[in-house]
Every structure is written in C-alpha cells, then in structure tokens.
Amino acid sequence: MALTLSDVDRFEAARPRLEAIAYRMLGSASEAEDAAQETYLRWQAADVERIEVPEAWLTKVLTNLCLNQLASARARRETYVGQWLPEPLLEGDPMLGPAETAEQRESVSYAVLVLLERLSPNERAVYVLREAFAYSHREIAEILGLSEAASQQIFHRAKKHVAQGRAKAASGGGAAGGGAAGGGSADGAALGGAADGARAEIDEAAARRIVEEFLAAATSGETGPLIKLLTSDAIAVGDGGGKVPARASAFGGAVAVAKFLRGLFKPAQAKRDLVGGSPDLYATTANGGPAVVAVVDGRVFGIMCLERTREGIVAVRSQVNPDKLERATERWAAGDFGAPVVAEAL
C-alpha cells in the first residue's frame, strides 16, 4: 500500500531518534543514515494500517538492521588498516540524540563508543536502548525477541564490561589495544583512565578551556607542559583508515604521548603539503567532550578528542580518516564555531 502524507510525516518525525539509536549502535553517521533510510523503505513496503504501535515497529526494524550490520562490520574491521575509531560528531549535531541525563550523555561519549566496540551486538543493542533511550526491559525484549529476564541479564553484563574497561584503564591498562572486534578495533580498554566517580561533567565553556590549555602546551615546542596535562598512563591513538598517516596502534605513557604530540604539532612543509595548507585549530566539543578541530579551507581535516578525568587527560584519540569527517565538514560549514585558537598552526 502507498504511504499517505501522514504516514510519511510520522516516519520523518521518528527519523532523528532512529538515526541517534543507529549511530550509537554502529559508531558511524553514514551507516546510521543508511540504516534509517532502509527502515523507511521497509515502512514504505509494510501494511502500515495494521501496525498498532508504529514507533515500536520502526525501532524493532532499525535495531535488527543494525545488528546485521554489526555482524558484518566485525569481519570488515579485521582487515581495517590501522586502528578503527568511531566517527566523531560535533556539538549540536542532532544525531547525538537525547542529552538530558548523565547516562544519555555518557552513552554517546567518544570513550564509551570506543568501548561499545568490545561488546557483542546484542549487548550493544540492549545497552543503547536502555541506557540512552530509557526503553523498558519489556520493550527491549519485544524488539530483540528475547525474554525480559534475558534483556536484564544482557544489560547488566554490558554495564559490567563498561565498568571493567574503565577500571582496567585506571589500573594502568590504558595502553592496551584490541578488543572483541579483532585487530582493527580501537583501544578498547583505554576508556578514560579512571574508575566510576573519577569522571567530571564538562560543559562547553570548560571544554574550550581544556582545549585551549592543551593547544598552548602542544604548540609550545616542549614536552614538559604536555606531561603536566597528561596522566602517567595516558594513551594516544589515531584512525587514518589507510588514507592519511596515523599511528598504527595505540601507545601509552605520558612521556611517549607528549613527545608524539610535540612532533605532531611542530610546523613543517611536508605536513602542509599533506593536509593541503596550514590548518586552523579550533576548540569545541565532539560527542560531548573537549575536541580540537583542524580545518583547512573550510574542510575538517581532523578531530582530536580529549578524554579527561579529574586527574588529567587520559586519552587523545584522533580521527583523520576523510570518510569519517564528511558529516563534520558539512556541520562546520553550516555552523558558527568562533575564531580559531591557533591560526595556521603548521
């Protein structure tokens, strides 16, 4: 049956929520958009008049599409060049979804998205639906075809994995790479360098101050100021997707990370040639956390997400794969992110 205008409007009203669920499930904005569009095609082909609760039907279809995508993604990431990191989203992006509670904000943080790569597809689905969108276990059970008790068990297991990841980083395991997704996964254990309670809510003004302080240290030409900002077991990792040079694996230790960052921010013609000019560096937030955004002629070349606890910066994760920065570039062109903290940095 052909959709009525009302049916189309109903789906479009649900699309932002569906995309936000899919982004948390997949860690990719483009794949989230594709999953939402495929859900629309299923909606278009369905007998809509017989669907009693359209929102629940749409969520179930989308979630199962994401589960299928996650299963195939694991195989692809086995052969991914270097480290695989999620696609960062800049402040104000509607795909970030609800942010009214601490749980919702945490569920889309860059550190947690990295950790979710280590969960099974079902664990990831239950965690996202429960933690970020407050679905009841009864609703989740219906969506995934599970018992309510099974949904509760899976959720507790997923939360335990998240807590263990934080604790491992806090005990000095932050430099470890790998995870359930295989050799192409990101630094799964390095989730912030602190156990529960060590994290602090960071608003946009505080995030900007953190980035400004970081850039002042990174562009000073010395390692000392950087070491003061980093925790002793801080880690660094980058994702170039084989298209842009990036560290092939995560590495850790304040001194090693500081030396790497000092070299990374040192001006050089070869770097300008690589990025197509001398980038301006901006302070903003990505996935709710402090982020450095490198922009060349209106194009976002890289986003460096800083994971910070009360003890200092515990992780520096850089996304420079151009395929994962297209949405950020579009967002950048449409928004006003103020003046650069460092102009023509390289």
Side-chain angles (χ1 to χ4, degrees), residues 103-124:
E103 290 78 12
Q104 289 172 338
R105 293 189 291 273
E106 180 78 354
S107 72
V108 80
S109 72
Y110 207 62
V112 167
L113 287 182
V114 169
L115 179 57
L116 292 184
E117 287 295 308
R118 302 176 67 220
L119 303 183
S120 71
N122 267 3
E123 286 173 340
R124 189 163 184 166

PDB file of all heavy atoms in Angstrom, residues 103-124:
ATOM      1  N   GLU A 103      23.419   9.629  32.014  1.00  0.00           N
ATOM      2  CA  GLU A 103      23.524   8.354  31.314  1.00  0.00           C
ATOM      3  C   GLU A 103      23.442   8.548  29.806  1.00  0.00           C
ATOM      4  O   GLU A 103      24.171   7.911  29.040  1.00  0.00           O
ATOM      5  CB  GLU A 103      22.421   7.390  31.776  1.00  0.00           C
ATOM      6  CG  GLU A 103      22.587   6.866  33.183  1.00  0.00           C
ATOM      7  CD  GLU A 103      22.162   7.880  34.239  1.00  0.00           C
ATOM      8  OE1 GLU A 103      21.524   8.898  33.877  1.00  0.00           O
ATOM      9  OE2 GLU A 103      22.464   7.658  35.429  1.00  0.00           O
ATOM     10  N   GLN A 104      22.555   9.426  29.369  1.00  0.00           N
ATOM     11  CA  GLN A 104      22.421   9.685  27.941  1.00  0.00           C
ATOM     12  C   GLN A 104      23.673  10.349  27.378  1.00  0.00           C
ATOM     13  O   GLN A 104      24.142  10.001  26.293  1.00  0.00           O
ATOM     14  CB  GLN A 104      21.189  10.550  27.690  1.00  0.00           C
ATOM     15  CG  GLN A 104      19.878   9.828  27.901  1.00  0.00           C
ATOM     16  CD  GLN A 104      18.676  10.747  27.838  1.00  0.00           C
ATOM     17  OE1 GLN A 104      18.786  11.959  28.043  1.00  0.00           O
ATOM     18  NE2 GLN A 104      17.515  10.181  27.554  1.00  0.00           N
ATOM     19  N   ARG A 105      24.213  11.293  28.111  1.00  0.00           N
ATOM     20  CA  ARG A 105      25.431  11.969  27.647  1.00  0.00           C
ATOM     21  C   ARG A 105      26.606  11.002  27.615  1.00  0.00           C
ATOM     22  O   ARG A 105      27.404  11.005  26.679  1.00  0.00           O
ATOM     23  CB  ARG A 105      25.732  13.180  28.538  1.00  0.00           C
ATOM     24  CG  ARG A 105      24.708  14.297  28.418  1.00  0.00           C
ATOM     25  CD  ARG A 105      25.150  15.546  29.148  1.00  0.00           C
ATOM     26  NE  ARG A 105      25.152  15.377  30.589  1.00  0.00           N
ATOM     27  CZ  ARG A 105      24.082  15.575  31.360  1.00  0.00           C
ATOM     28  NH1 ARG A 105      22.921  15.923  30.835  1.00  0.00           N
ATOM     29  NH2 ARG A 105      24.174  15.425  32.683  1.00  0.00           N
ATOM     30  N   GLU A 106      26.696  10.167  28.633  1.00  0.00           N
ATOM     31  CA  GLU A 106      27.793   9.211  28.699  1.00  0.00           C
ATOM     32  C   GLU A 106      27.702   8.185  27.567  1.00  0.00           C
ATOM     33  O   GLU A 106      28.717   7.763  27.007  1.00  0.00           O
ATOM     34  CB  GLU A 106      27.777   8.504  30.057  1.00  0.00           C
ATOM     35  CG  GLU A 106      28.878   7.486  30.257  1.00  0.00           C
ATOM     36  CD  GLU A 106      30.224   8.105  30.580  1.00  0.00           C
ATOM     37  OE1 GLU A 106      30.338   9.349  30.542  1.00  0.00           O
ATOM     38  OE2 GLU A 106      31.166   7.354  30.862  1.00  0.00           O
ATOM     39  N   SER A 107      26.488   7.776  27.217  1.00  0.00           N
ATOM     40  CA  SER A 107      26.308   6.720  26.214  1.00  0.00           C
ATOM     41  C   SER A 107      26.801   7.112  24.831  1.00  0.00           C
ATOM     42  O   SER A 107      27.064   6.246  23.997  1.00  0.00           O
ATOM     43  CB  SER A 107      24.826   6.323  26.135  1.00  0.00           C
ATOM     44  OG  SER A 107      24.056   7.344  25.501  1.00  0.00           O
ATOM     45  N   VAL A 108      26.912   8.410  24.561  1.00  0.00           N
ATOM     46  CA  VAL A 108      27.375   8.855  23.253  1.00  0.00           C
ATOM     47  C   VAL A 108      28.758   9.489  23.340  1.00  0.00           C
ATOM     48  O   VAL A 108      29.274   9.993  22.346  1.00  0.00           O
ATOM     49  CB  VAL A 108      26.360   9.833  22.623  1.00  0.00           C
ATOM     50  CG1 VAL A 108      26.490  11.242  23.189  1.00  0.00           C
ATOM     51  CG2 VAL A 108      26.466   9.855  21.099  1.00  0.00           C
ATOM     52  N   SER A 109      29.388   9.443  24.512  1.00  0.00           N
ATOM     53  CA  SER A 109      30.745   9.978  24.632  1.00  0.00           C
ATOM     54  C   SER A 109      31.676   9.147  23.755  1.00  0.00           C
ATOM     55  O   SER A 109      31.450   7.961  23.511  1.00  0.00           O
ATOM     56  CB  SER A 109      31.207   9.951  26.090  1.00  0.00           C
ATOM     57  OG  SER A 109      31.460   8.622  26.513  1.00  0.00           O
ATOM     58  N   TYR A 110      32.732   9.786  23.305  1.00  0.00           N
ATOM     59  CA  TYR A 110      33.644   9.100  22.401  1.00  0.00           C
ATOM     60  C   TYR A 110      34.286   7.890  23.078  1.00  0.00           C
ATOM     61  O   TYR A 110      34.450   6.830  22.464  1.00  0.00           O
ATOM     62  CB  TYR A 110      34.714  10.079  21.911  1.00  0.00           C
ATOM     63  CG  TYR A 110      35.287   9.709  20.559  1.00  0.00           C
ATOM     64  CD1 TYR A 110      34.480   9.673  19.426  1.00  0.00           C
ATOM     65  CD2 TYR A 110      36.632   9.407  20.419  1.00  0.00           C
ATOM     66  CE1 TYR A 110      34.998   9.345  18.195  1.00  0.00           C
ATOM     67  CE2 TYR A 110      37.156   9.073  19.181  1.00  0.00           C
ATOM     68  CZ  TYR A 110      36.340   9.039  18.069  1.00  0.00           C
ATOM     69  OH  TYR A 110      36.866   8.702  16.843  1.00  0.00           O
ATOM     70  N   ALA A 111      34.626   8.038  24.351  1.00  0.00           N
ATOM     71  CA  ALA A 111      35.243   6.931  25.070  1.00  0.00           C
ATOM     72  C   ALA A 111      34.319   5.722  25.149  1.00  0.00           C
ATOM     73  O   ALA A 111      34.750   4.581  24.962  1.00  0.00           O
ATOM     74  CB  ALA A 111      35.647   7.375  26.470  1.00  0.00           C
ATOM     75  N   VAL A 112      33.049   5.948  25.428  1.00  0.00           N
ATOM     76  CA  VAL A 112      32.113   4.832  25.535  1.00  0.00           C
ATOM     77  C   VAL A 112      31.845   4.212  24.171  1.00  0.00           C
ATOM     78  O   VAL A 112      31.737   2.991  24.042  1.00  0.00           O
ATOM     79  CB  VAL A 112      30.808   5.277  26.229  1.00  0.00           C
ATOM     80  CG1 VAL A 112      29.720   4.226  26.064  1.00  0.00           C
ATOM     81  CG2 VAL A 112      31.069   5.526  27.711  1.00  0.00           C
ATOM     82  N   LEU A 113      31.761   5.026  23.121  1.00  0.00           N
ATOM     83  CA  LEU A 113      31.587   4.462  21.792  1.00  0.00           C
ATOM     84  C   LEU A 113      32.751   3.540  21.435  1.00  0.00           C
ATOM     85  O   LEU A 113      32.558   2.514  20.780  1.00  0.00           O
ATOM     86  CB  LEU A 113      31.462   5.572  20.748  1.00  0.00           C
ATOM     87  CG  LEU A 113      30.159   6.368  20.728  1.00  0.00           C
ATOM     88  CD1 LEU A 113      30.194   7.392  19.593  1.00  0.00           C
ATOM     89  CD2 LEU A 113      28.952   5.458  20.579  1.00  0.00           C
ATOM     90  N   VAL A 114      33.958   3.914  21.860  1.00  0.00           N
ATOM     91  CA  VAL A 114      35.111   3.040  21.643  1.00  0.00           C
ATOM     92  C   VAL A 114      34.911   1.716  22.382  1.00  0.00           C
ATOM     93  O   VAL A 114      35.124   0.637  21.832  1.00  0.00           O
ATOM     94  CB  VAL A 114      36.412   3.731  22.098  1.00  0.00           C
ATOM     95  CG1 VAL A 114      37.574   2.752  22.130  1.00  0.00           C
ATOM     96  CG2 VAL A 114      36.750   4.897  21.168  1.00  0.00           C
ATOM     97  N   LEU A 115      34.479   1.792  23.624  1.00  0.00           N
ATOM     98  CA  LEU A 115      34.290   0.586  24.421  1.00  0.00           C
ATOM     99  C   LEU A 115      33.172  -0.297  23.866  1.00  0.00           C
ATOM    100  O   LEU A 115      33.255  -1.525  23.913  1.00  0.00           O
ATOM    101  CB  LEU A 115      33.982   0.954  25.865  1.00  0.00           C
ATOM    102  CG  LEU A 115      33.731  -0.234  26.800  1.00  0.00           C
ATOM    103  CD1 LEU A 115      34.911  -1.182  26.818  1.00  0.00           C
ATOM    104  CD2 LEU A 115      33.423   0.245  28.195  1.00  0.00           C
ATOM    105  N   LEU A 116      32.114   0.307  23.338  1.00  0.00           N
ATOM    106  CA  LEU A 116      30.998  -0.481  22.831  1.00  0.00           C
ATOM    107  C   LEU A 116      31.417  -1.412  21.707  1.00  0.00           C
ATOM    108  O   LEU A 116      30.738  -2.408  21.430  1.00  0.00           O
ATOM    109  CB  LEU A 116      29.872   0.447  22.348  1.00  0.00           C
ATOM    110  CG  LEU A 116      29.138   1.242  23.427  1.00  0.00           C
ATOM    111  CD1 LEU A 116      27.985   2.029  22.826  1.00  0.00           C
ATOM    112  CD2 LEU A 116      28.658   0.353  24.554  1.00  0.00           C
ATOM    113  N   GLU A 117      32.554  -1.098  21.062  1.00  0.00           N
ATOM    114  CA  GLU A 117      33.067  -1.986  20.029  1.00  0.00           C
ATOM    115  C   GLU A 117      33.437  -3.352  20.587  1.00  0.00           C
ATOM    116  O   GLU A 117      33.516  -4.334  19.857  1.00  0.00           O
ATOM    117  CB  GLU A 117      34.299  -1.356  19.359  1.00  0.00           C
ATOM    118  CG  GLU A 117      33.976  -0.208  18.441  1.00  0.00           C
ATOM    119  CD  GLU A 117      33.157  -0.658  17.238  1.00  0.00           C
ATOM    120  OE1 GLU A 117      33.580  -1.604  16.562  1.00  0.00           O
ATOM    121  OE2 GLU A 117      32.091  -0.067  17.015  1.00  0.00           O
ATOM    122  N   ARG A 118      33.667  -3.429  21.888  1.00  0.00           N
ATOM    123  CA  ARG A 118      34.073  -4.689  22.513  1.00  0.00           C
ATOM    124  C   ARG A 118      32.878  -5.535  22.932  1.00  0.00           C
ATOM    125  O   ARG A 118      33.050  -6.699  23.318  1.00  0.00           O
ATOM    126  CB  ARG A 118      34.949  -4.396  23.740  1.00  0.00           C
ATOM    127  CG  ARG A 118      36.194  -3.577  23.422  1.00  0.00           C
ATOM    128  CD  ARG A 118      36.972  -3.240  24.676  1.00  0.00           C
ATOM    129  NE  ARG A 118      37.543  -4.428  25.278  1.00  0.00           N
ATOM    130  CZ  ARG A 118      37.589  -4.673  26.590  1.00  0.00           C
ATOM    131  NH1 ARG A 118      37.052  -3.801  27.426  1.00  0.00           N
ATOM    132  NH2 ARG A 118      38.155  -5.761  27.062  1.00  0.00           N
ATOM    133  N   LEU A 119      31.688  -4.984  22.874  1.00  0.00           N
ATOM    134  CA  LEU A 119      30.500  -5.727  23.272  1.00  0.00           C
ATOM    135  C   LEU A 119      29.977  -6.571  22.123  1.00  0.00           C
ATOM    136  O   LEU A 119      30.222  -6.290  20.953  1.00  0.00           O
ATOM    137  CB  LEU A 119      29.401  -4.764  23.726  1.00  0.00           C
ATOM    138  CG  LEU A 119      29.733  -3.798  24.869  1.00  0.00           C
ATOM    139  CD1 LEU A 119      28.495  -2.986  25.227  1.00  0.00           C
ATOM    140  CD2 LEU A 119      30.280  -4.529  26.082  1.00  0.00           C
ATOM    141  N   SER A 120      29.225  -7.609  22.461  1.00  0.00           N
ATOM    142  CA  SER A 120      28.532  -8.371  21.429  1.00  0.00           C
ATOM    143  C   SER A 120      27.427  -7.501  20.848  1.00  0.00           C
ATOM    144  O   SER A 120      26.980  -6.530  21.494  1.00  0.00           O
ATOM    145  CB  SER A 120      27.937  -9.639  22.026  1.00  0.00           C
ATOM    146  OG  SER A 120      26.835  -9.307  22.869  1.00  0.00           O
ATOM    147  N   PRO A 121      26.948  -7.802  19.640  1.00  0.00           N
ATOM    148  CA  PRO A 121      25.862  -6.992  19.072  1.00  0.00           C
ATOM    149  C   PRO A 121      24.644  -6.885  19.984  1.00  0.00           C
ATOM    150  O   PRO A 121      24.083  -5.799  20.153  1.00  0.00           O
ATOM    151  CB  PRO A 121      25.532  -7.734  17.767  1.00  0.00           C
ATOM    152  CG  PRO A 121      26.844  -8.332  17.347  1.00  0.00           C
ATOM    153  CD  PRO A 121      27.485  -8.769  18.644  1.00  0.00           C
ATOM    154  N   ASN A 122      24.226  -7.991  20.601  1.00  0.00           N
ATOM    155  CA  ASN A 122      23.069  -7.934  21.490  1.00  0.00           C
ATOM    156  C   ASN A 122      23.343  -7.089  22.717  1.00  0.00           C
ATOM    157  O   ASN A 122      22.476  -6.338  23.174  1.00  0.00           O
ATOM    158  CB  ASN A 122      22.653  -9.343  21.916  1.00  0.00           C
ATOM    159  CG  ASN A 122      21.577  -9.925  21.014  1.00  0.00           C
ATOM    160  OD1 ASN A 122      21.184  -9.301  20.029  1.00  0.00           O
ATOM    161  ND2 ASN A 122      21.124 -11.123  21.331  1.00  0.00           N
ATOM    162  N   GLU A 123      24.549  -7.193  23.283  1.00  0.00           N
ATOM    163  CA  GLU A 123      24.905  -6.359  24.432  1.00  0.00           C
ATOM    164  C   GLU A 123      24.869  -4.888  24.059  1.00  0.00           C
ATOM    165  O   GLU A 123      24.375  -4.053  24.817  1.00  0.00           O
ATOM    166  CB  GLU A 123      26.304  -6.734  24.934  1.00  0.00           C
ATOM    167  CG  GLU A 123      26.361  -8.055  25.675  1.00  0.00           C
ATOM    168  CD  GLU A 123      27.778  -8.465  26.007  1.00  0.00           C
ATOM    169  OE1 GLU A 123      28.728  -7.953  25.361  1.00  0.00           O
ATOM    170  OE2 GLU A 123      27.952  -9.308  26.911  1.00  0.00           O
ATOM    171  N   ARG A 124      25.371  -4.585  22.899  1.00  0.00           N
ATOM    172  CA  ARG A 124      25.396  -3.190  22.458  1.00  0.00           C
ATOM    173  C   ARG A 124      23.978  -2.667  22.262  1.00  0.00           C
ATOM    174  O   ARG A 124      23.649  -1.548  22.667  1.00  0.00           O
ATOM    175  CB  ARG A 124      26.196  -3.078  21.159  1.00  0.00           C
ATOM    176  CG  ARG A 124      26.469  -1.645  20.744  1.00  0.00           C
ATOM    177  CD  ARG A 124      27.590  -1.581  19.732  1.00  0.00           C
ATOM    178  NE  ARG A 124      27.925  -0.194  19.400  1.00  0.00           N
ATOM    179  CZ  ARG A 124      29.021   0.170  18.751  1.00  0.00           C
ATOM    180  NH1 ARG A 124      29.890  -0.726  18.353  1.00  0.00           N
ATOM    181  NH2 ARG A 124      29.248   1.450  18.497  1.00  0.00           N
TER     182      ARG A 124
END
